[in-house]
Amino acid sequence: MLEMTQIFKVFYEGTPDEKIALNKVDLSMRPGDFVTVIGSNGAGKSTLMNIISGKLVPDIGTVMIDGGNMTSLAEHKRAVKIGRVFQDPMAGTAPTMTIEENLAIAYNRTKKRSLGFGVTKKRRDFYREKLEMLHLGLEDRLQAKVGLLSGGERQALSLLMATFTDPKILLLDEHTAALDPARAELITNLTKEIVSALGLTTLMVTHNMQQALDLGNRLIMMDKGQIIFEADEQEKQELTIEKLLAEFQKIKGGGGLSDRSLLS
Amino acid sequence: MTAMFGAVESGVIYAIMALGVYLSFRVLDFPDLTVDGSFVTGGAVASIMIVNGYDPFIATIAALFAGFLAGCMTGLLHTKGGINPLLSGILMMIALYSINLRIMGKPNVPLLAEETVITKIESWFTSEWSIFFFMLVVTLIIKFVSDLFLKTEVGLSLRAVGDNEGMVRSFSANTGWMKVLGLGLSNALVAFSGALVAQYNGFSDVGMGIGMIVIGLASVIIGEAVIGNSTIARATLAVVIGAILYRIIVTLALRIEFLDTGDMKLITAIIVIIALIMPKVLDKRKAAVRKKKRLVQLNGDGGGPVA
């Protein structure tokens, strides 16, 4: 479903700040794979996400999604195949527009926009039915402005908007990091529910190791622009936070406390 | 009284321009200074066509398309050229000054002896209210069509561009083209209004657009302060009423003997400044009053004085 080969990306090339963000990264995902990505700040996780979504173009390497070469395709064009949820709960919705209007915008992700109304009676029923999946009572507040919702509610709505049109790939960029523990758990559970119900191919970046272990069937660990550790379905089931940290230190040559504090 | 009637009448015509400014300034969140130029472009295209014997209605519609092109150019400067929004508008405004002179061939085209939309309407109806009602109907039709458009799939993503550009892009909308389209529509309305104003005043002048963006902003802000903007239909109604109120305020201000017509722009600027600052001042005062009440309440409940 996703095939990334030999991705290389460098920032500020030729300046003292030159930084290799991704160094010949290969990543392949089969349909239905749910891969969690962990790694310290600056490991290249966000760059990886942005190269898949088209916000960034790799210097070298190719990105194939659903059999098509997307390496330099414009962000909005490949969005037809990609659903995204951002870290900032404000980033995935339009605050001055109503819940149903936001859903209408998301509904058009896979279709050409027309001069027909975005919210019709039939569509409203459809939106309401989808909102019920969130169990937040949002289905009774279709005409409420999204700016009035709490961060958790907005993130749940973002998750729904990114997924209800069956994307080929779902990208979750630390989408629970900005929420309080209770809300984060709610969104984590919703993610689990929605991804398994729709069988979505998902890539999730997180700083929370427990979450990385709880969700998904594969796990990768990144450091300094490379994938340094990979666990497949079977290996992942036996992983614990301790084992992960030990693995990290083994590869890094026993960096000790500073690495541990960066990851936990 | 006639002055006041004239104020309301021209307010209705300027309301179309204000709706255009609302589209760029509020919906797209793009402060578009093209307006100062495209307003004149509308007047220029309509006048020169009328002088050359075209039907005034066709001339007015042609002005609408000319404005659309001007707005699209600004949009392209910004999206394809990567020029900052304010600067794209300023560049287009200054370019349009020369273009408008070229269209008209001279700085001022009189229309007094010509058959215009205004004289046609006056010949159809006998009432002195005819211009007012006709323009009111035209303005309200444009308002309702805008309301409906902003609820279509294209309209929704246009609004979202001004609200959260990254989000609409992640839902596969081409935000660049959305901006070009939005600015085109905005300036189409502005030029349409310019064409009607030129015919209403009986001339088109290369300087008639100076400060038009500020007048548009004044109308939007005054309207929102009085009517509010909780829904799209309400916000566009606010713009129309704001445009009329603006004309009334200016007319009243000009009655002060000390001021003359040359002070119009200064008055406009002051109105906008007051409209922008007043809500904040009022909010602060309300908060202060509430705090005082709370203090009295707390102190009344016994215990030591709080602060």
Side-chain angles (χ1 to χ4, degrees):
Chain A
M1 191 53 72
L2 173 76
E3 204 69 48
M4 296 179 89
T5 38
Q6 293 288 297
I7 301 288
F8 187 86
K9 179 78 187 172
V10 54
F11 290 122
Y12 311 114
E13 193 167 11
T15 74
D17 290 329
E18 182 172 302
K19 184 178 184 333
I20 296 175
L22 289 180
N23 195 355
K24 296 185 200 155
V25 169
D26 290 308
L27 178 65
S28 159
M29 287 171 74
R30 288 180 300 273
D33 264 357
F34 186 163
V35 179
T36 56
V37 187
I38 54 171
S40 47
N41 288 326
K45 308 182 302 286
S46 296
T47 311
L48 187 77
M49 283 289 200
N50 288 334
I51 281 178
I52 299 173
S53 70
K55 209 170 169 186
L56 294 173
V57 178
D59 297 334
I60 307 173
T62 51
V63 181
M64 309 273 288
I65 298 175
D66 194 25
N69 190 337
M70 307 254 159
T71 312
S72 51
L73 194 69
E75 194 181 347
H76 68 270
K77 284 192 184 146
R78 66 173 89 179
V80 172
K81 301 206 182 271
I82 302 173
R84 268 191 284 172
V85 184
F86 307 93
Q87 178 178 359
D88 179 2
M90 308 296 149
T93 45
T96 69
M97 298 171 72
T98 63
I99 292 178
E100 57 185 11
E101 285 169 343
N102 270 276
L103 284 161
I105 291 169
Y107 184 82
N108 276 132
R109 189 176 58 78
T110 53
K111 298 174 187 66
K112 235 182 157 44
R113 288 171 165 80
S114 75
L115 284 176
F117 289 117
V119 181
T120 55
K121 203 183 166 310
K122 200 174 134 206
R123 291 240 199 120
R124 186 175 282 148
D125 291 337
F126 175 68
Y127 299 151
R128 192 175 284 132
E129 182 191 312
K130 292 289 168 190
L131 281 167
E132 277 167 10
M133 283 171 56
L134 300 177
H135 320 297
L136 289 172
L138 294 183
E139 61 274 14
D140 303 322
R141 298 168 66 191
L142 283 175
Q143 331 260 350
K145 294 222 168 124
V146 169
L148 299 172
L149 304 184
S150 72
E153 286 170 329
R154 280 182 79 161
Q155 202 64 330
L157 181 61
S158 304
L159 183 65
L160 180 72
M161 283 165 59
T163 53
F164 82 115
T165 45
D166 268 326
K168 299 289 175 199
I169 290 189
L170 175 64
L171 300 178
L172 305 171
D173 192 357
E174 293 184 47
H175 69 308
T176 62
L179 303 172
D180 68 61
R183 298 294 117 187
E185 198 191 329
L186 173 87
I187 299 296
T188 306
N189 291 337
L190 279 174
T191 307
K192 209 185 283 182
E193 216 171 287
I194 290 173
V195 168
S196 71
L198 301 175
L200 295 173
T201 311
T202 306
L203 189 67
M204 178 178 85
V205 166
T206 177
H207 269 297
N208 181 333
M209 296 184 101
Q210 195 57 53
Q211 191 187 32
L213 292 174
D214 291 346
L215 293 178
N217 63 341
R218 287 171 58 193
L219 179 147
I220 62 178
M221 191 193 289
M222 293 186 70
D223 189 57
K224 294 193 179 136
Q226 287 181 311
I227 296 175
I228 56 168
F229 174 76
E230 242 187 298
D232 62 23
E233 195 146 11
Q234 226 169 12
E235 292 163 338
K236 187 169 180 292
Q237 277 169 7
E238 292 153 17
L239 271 178
T240 60
I241 291 182
E242 284 71 28
K243 278 187 191 164
L244 261 181
L245 283 172
E247 200 65 49
F248 187 66
Q249 278 169 24
K250 197 168 80 194
I251 292 162
K252 294 274 291 176
L257 231 158
S258 65
D259 289 328
R260 192 191 177 97
S261 54
L262 268 177
L263 266 168
S264 54
Chain B
M1 201 53 225
T2 36
M4 210 36 94
F5 182 67
V8 174
E9 211 170 57
S10 60
V12 175
I13 305 177
Y14 277 99
I16 301 170
M17 182 274 295
L19 282 169
V21 171
Y22 168 78
L23 270 185
S24 58
F25 182 67
R26 277 288 187 253
V27 174
L28 279 180
D29 196 18
F30 190 113
D32 177 27
L33 300 192
T34 316
V35 169
D36 278 26
S38 60
F39 187 77
V40 186
T41 306
V45 168
S47 324
I48 215 70
M49 284 181 74
I50 290 170
V51 168
N52 283 305
Y54 283 91
D55 182 275
F57 288 97
I58 291 176
T60 309
I61 299 294
L64 189 108
F65 284 102
F68 182 79
L69 286 180
C72 288
M73 274 308 298
T74 306
L76 289 173
L77 285 179
H78 170 59
T79 56
K80 300 287 164 199
I83 302 171
N84 141 310
L86 270 177
L87 195 53
S88 322
I90 292 172
L91 287 171
M92 204 54 211
M93 171 182 86
I94 214 76
L96 282 174
Y97 187 87
S98 298
I99 294 170
N100 294 335
L101 266 177
R102 279 282 180 185
I103 295 173
M104 296 197 289
K106 52 189 175 182
N108 189 297
V109 177
L111 293 170
L112 290 173
E114 310 290 337
E115 184 171 62
T116 64
V117 167
I118 306 291
T119 58
K120 277 211 167 183
I121 298 163
E122 277 169 344
S123 70
W124 291 341
F125 311 97
T126 47
S127 162
E128 55 182 4
W129 291 82
S130 57
I131 302 291
F132 171 74
F133 277 117
F134 186 84
M135 289 303 164
L136 188 66
V137 168
V138 171
T139 304
L140 288 179
I141 288 174
I142 291 177
K143 174 210 161 354
F144 285 120
V145 171
S146 308
D147 291 350
L148 292 178
F149 169 69
L150 289 173
K151 287 188 175 141
T152 63
E153 292 176 351
V154 174
L156 285 175
S157 47
L158 198 73
R159 282 162 63 197
V161 167
D163 215 8
N164 187 345
E165 199 179 334
M167 169 257 187
V168 243
R169 204 178 301 127
S170 80
F171 289 115
S172 82
N174 188 335
T175 52
W177 283 116
M178 282 293 159
K179 282 186 188 173
V180 174
L181 173 72
L183 290 173
L185 292 176
S186 158
N187 283 289
L189 293 183
V190 170
F192 186 71
S193 170
L196 290 174
V197 167
Q199 295 172 65
Y200 182 74
N201 290 339
F203 64 91
S204 102
D205 186 278
V206 76
M208 70 195 259
I210 297 174
M212 205 45 66
I213 178 71
V214 185
I215 295 176
L217 290 184
S219 309
V220 172
I221 296 166
I222 294 171
E224 283 177 349
V226 176
I227 310 285
N229 56 357
S230 52
T231 61
I232 289 290
R234 190 161 183 163
T236 51
L237 178 69
V239 172
V240 173
I241 290 180
I244 298 170
L245 282 178
Y246 165 79
R247 285 288 146 190
I248 294 175
I249 295 171
V250 170
T251 310
L252 288 177
L254 286 176
R255 286 201 180 163
I256 303 169
E257 254 170 56
F258 162 75
L259 296 168
D260 63 45
T261 43
D263 297 326
M264 274 271 282
K265 309 284 184 209
L266 177 64
I267 297 169
T268 308
I270 291 173
I271 292 173
V272 174
I273 292 169
I274 293 174
L276 284 173
I277 293 177
M278 272 316 267
K280 287 178 207 164
V281 174
L282 288 178
D283 276 357
K284 244 184 207 165
R285 182 170 302 168
K286 262 188 217 157
V289 169
R290 228 177 297 137
K291 192 174 171 193
K292 216 178 213 170
K293 263 192 196 158
R294 180 65 41 84
L295 277 179
V296 170
Q297 210 176 23
L298 285 174
N299 289 340
D301 288 348
V306 187

